[in-house]
Amino acid sequence: MAKFMLGYKAGMTQIFDEAGNAVPVTVIACGPVSVVRKKTLESDGYQAVLVAFDETKESRLNRPDRGQFAASGLAPHRRLLEFRVDDVDAYELGQEIKVSEMFAVGDRVDVAGTSKGKGYQGNVKRHGQRGGREAHGSKYHRRVGSLGSSATPGRVWKGTKLPGQMGNRRVTVQNLTVAFVDGERDILAVKGAVPGSNGTCLEIRDTVKFRV
Amino acid sequence: MNVNLIKAVEESQLRDTYPNVEIGDTVRLHLRITEGARERIQVFEGTVIARKGEGLSETLTVRRLSYGVGVERIVPIHSPKLDHIEVVRKGRVRRAKLYYLRGRVGRRARVREKLPPRKTN
């Protein structure tokens, strides 16, 4: 069964595993999410559920999103996202899904979100290039190096590493282990770090890397 | 709200009895050591020179001189590997971090004892 959940990153801490080792974990305030719409093979050509998370005022939404909630009869939510599923019949319209129904300790998940924005950065920070020496007559410190050859090809190759915007883009961290689940308080904790600052909206899915 | 969620994750593993340890105290750490299938308790005695972190991540740094070599152990207070802490002697210190002890050996590396307040008749 395809698993999915939405949540907000709460922050990091550490917990102890059975062996008594300290394990770094990220705490995520998860769900519950509600099924707003089912996409079926007949109607859309693929199977997915549209889920909503984090209730809000209707005035905060744009018209297309308002339409989704009006059609389903659910209260408006801030986050609206689609997840592919194997069997859409397993879900009901308006069904509320809690994190404890989706994930258990030991599951492997992929977590996607928007990474922290670093602004416009040079090659040393953005691509991990080394830069030149700082002294001994060197005038080449943190600049971009050679852009390529001369008359052949007579242009800069596509994909050449150059300065530009770093961060503030979608990042997925794969194969994280679920370390803690609390169904009552809707908390999920995964081992390791996830993208973004605290409060970032995260998508959690079962991993593409690890199949039992 | 988010800070509370982190506390909620931590609280199940927090120690019920917080050790009554202060900086400068001489303590015995009773550590659970697992050797293969066997588990035994190892005692590490030394001076508490630092306390860092908060919540479940809080640690103590305990220093001792072992055969003339300084040894420091950093122990998470709430770790299940730490069976319990025994306070041998209270220390009288004026600092929160006793890193100045690191450069010292012998009598200079001592911490004065904190005695219970004298009774006045």
Side-chain angles (χ1 to χ4, degrees):
Chain A
M1 195 183 90
K3 295 172 177 177
F4 54 86
M5 189 46 64
L6 286 168
Y8 290 124
K9 177 171 171 180
M12 290 193 73
T13 181
Q14 63 180 34
I15 57 176
F16 296 103
D17 64 11
E18 308 85 56
N21 299 316
V23 178
V25 296
T26 308
V27 181
I28 306 168
C30 268
V33 295
S34 313
V35 179
V36 176
R37 193 179 149 194
K38 299 201 286 184
K39 297 206 166 177
T40 58
L41 283 172
E42 297 82 60
S43 62
D44 301 275
Y46 64 98
Q47 300 199 71
V49 287
L50 186 67
V51 296
F53 168 54
D54 191 13
E55 210 166 300
T56 185
K57 288 193 280 190
E58 195 181 358
S59 59
R60 301 252 185 231
L61 300 183
N62 59 21
R63 281 211 181 167
D65 284 356
R66 275 183 214 182
Q68 293 286 356
F69 289 109
S72 66
L74 284 170
H77 290 67
R78 199 182 301 266
R79 313 281 171 183
L80 199 57
L81 206 79
E82 196 177 297
F83 289 96
R84 296 289 281 264
V85 293
D86 308 324
D87 181 20
V88 80
D89 294 328
Y91 302 93
E92 275 173 52
L93 271 186
Q95 182 190 350
E96 211 171 65
I97 305 163
K98 289 177 75 96
V99 64
S100 49
E101 297 160 18
M102 272 291 174
F103 297 108
V105 173
D107 286 358
R108 300 297 189 96
V109 294
D110 291 348
V111 179
T114 306
S115 64
K116 279 185 186 173
K118 311 285 183 195
Y120 196 96
Q121 293 298 336
N123 269 21
V124 174
K125 189 179 177 82
R126 189 169 182 231
H127 300 295
Q129 293 182 354
R130 279 186 291 271
R133 56 207 296 197
E134 294 298 318
H136 295 292
S138 167
K139 294 178 185 174
Y140 176 71
H141 302 305
R142 297 174 66 94
R143 285 159 67 166
V144 173
S146 167
L147 292 186
S149 318
S150 180
T152 320
R155 61 185 173 84
V156 176
W157 292 107
K158 280 187 176 177
T160 302
K161 289 173 177 175
L162 289 170
Q165 166 70 31
M166 183 181 172
N168 193 22
R169 67 189 175 91
R170 186 186 162 86
V171 173
T172 306
V173 180
Q174 295 180 331
N175 212 6
L176 297 172
T177 309
V178 174
F180 180 89
V181 180
D182 185 337
E184 233 166 80
R185 282 176 284 208
D186 298 315
I187 303 172
L188 179 77
V190 294
K191 189 176 164 187
V194 305
S197 53
N198 294 347
T200 299
C201 188
L202 298 169
E203 303 159 27
I204 303 135
R205 292 181 177 82
D206 50 349
T207 184
V208 297
K209 284 274 168 179
F210 181 85
R211 298 271 186 222
V212 183
Chain B
M1 177 224 178
N2 286 337
V3 176
N4 293 340
L5 286 185
I6 292 170
K7 282 195 179 132
V9 173
E10 291 182 343
E11 74 183 2
S12 60
Q13 296 192 334
L14 285 176
R15 221 169 256 277
D16 326 328
T17 50
Y18 191 87
N20 186 23
V21 175
E22 286 173 304
I23 305 296
D25 292 358
T26 304
V27 295
R28 282 203 185 107
L29 302 173
H30 291 252
L31 301 157
R32 288 208 183 99
I33 309 282
T34 324
E35 290 165 333
R38 231 164 51 85
E39 200 187 71
R40 64 186 180 84
I41 299 273
Q42 190 186 64
V43 180
F44 183 88
E45 185 173 331
T47 316
V48 179
I49 63 164
R51 192 149 128 178
K52 282 186 178 181
E54 56 173 328
L56 198 56
S57 316
E58 190 173 342
T59 62
L60 287 182
T61 305
V62 180
R63 180 182 173 85
R64 69 168 297 172
L65 281 175
S66 172
Y67 301 103
V69 183
V71 179
E72 284 180 18
R73 283 206 71 143
I74 303 168
V75 187
I77 288 181
H78 298 281
S79 168
K81 280 184 183 170
L82 177 65
D83 190 68
H84 69 279
I85 302 175
E86 190 186 331
V87 180
V88 181
R89 182 171 167 270
K90 301 294 279 182
R92 206 190 116 190
V93 290
R94 304 176 69 161
R95 247 151 272 270
K97 304 278 188 276
L98 306 184
Y99 297 143
Y100 65 87
L101 290 178
R102 281 176 176 167
R104 300 184 178 188
V105 286
R107 285 178 65 82
R108 295 188 69 220
R110 279 181 322 151
V111 168
R112 274 206 283 168
E113 186 163 7
K114 186 175 170 184
L115 299 164
R118 221 174 274 170
K119 279 187 191 128
T120 47
N121 290 331

